[in-house]
Amino acid sequence: MQKIAPTALALVAAIGLSACAGMAPSSPMFSQAALPDAVKVPDGHRVVMETVGVGEITYECRAKAGAAGVFEWVFVGPKADLNSRAGAKVGTYFGPPATWASSDGSAITGTQVAVSPSTPGNIPLQLVKANPATGAGAMQGVSYVQRVATQGGVAPSLPCDAGSTGRKEVVKYQADYIFWKAA
């Protein structure tokens, strides 16, 4: 067996490491295995983008439809930044209608398919069927969006009564938005 000089071994190791230096570390793609069936994306789709939405949801105190003298906090709309897993802003989420807009100019709206309860104090998990995208870019071809890992965002615990009708309250929230395309 031939003996390799320590300097030659170090050179081979350095070349090998430099070849890998430009490669991004691979992170496992999102798995929906632990999600309730109601909010799972149908087979035949793959994850194309994972984002963390950080923002706020506005609620308004209104009279409850069909219930005289009863008032409730009603969802008005969200406003959030969509960040990559590394923390870089990659888009925004706002509504109504629910709209996910990429920083590249592409955007989608969607229709809710299902919700499933999250942990207490957090908005529900959600599955949305995407409408065709506008603009070319990351949102092109997105077929589903999942809202998972929700934190906060529930209606205020403040009183909502005749004296506070029309009052708006903003609550903070965070959620992962997972974007899927047909495989």
Side-chain angles (χ1 to χ4, degrees), residues 27-124:
S27 59
M29 292 301 276
F30 174 78
S31 170
Q32 61 179 352
L35 293 178
D37 288 343
V39 295
K40 285 184 180 177
V41 172
D43 290 340
H45 293 82
R46 63 184 171 82
V47 173
V48 293
M49 183 169 48
E50 298 180 36
T51 64
V52 179
V54 179
E56 55 193 37
I57 297 174
T58 301
Y59 290 89
E60 183 176 350
C61 180
R62 297 180 186 165
K64 187 172 184 171
V70 178
F71 299 86
E72 63 183 347
W73 288 105
V74 176
F75 174 89
V76 174
K79 183 174 122 183
D81 288 338
L82 296 176
N83 301 316
S84 70
R85 294 282 190 207
K89 184 176 175 182
V90 296
T92 55
Y93 170 60
F94 56 91
T99 304
W100 294 265
S102 173
S103 297
D104 65 16
S106 62
I108 57 170
T109 59
T111 304
Q112 179 175 284
V113 174
V115 294
S116 184
S118 184
T119 53
N122 301 309
I123 56 175

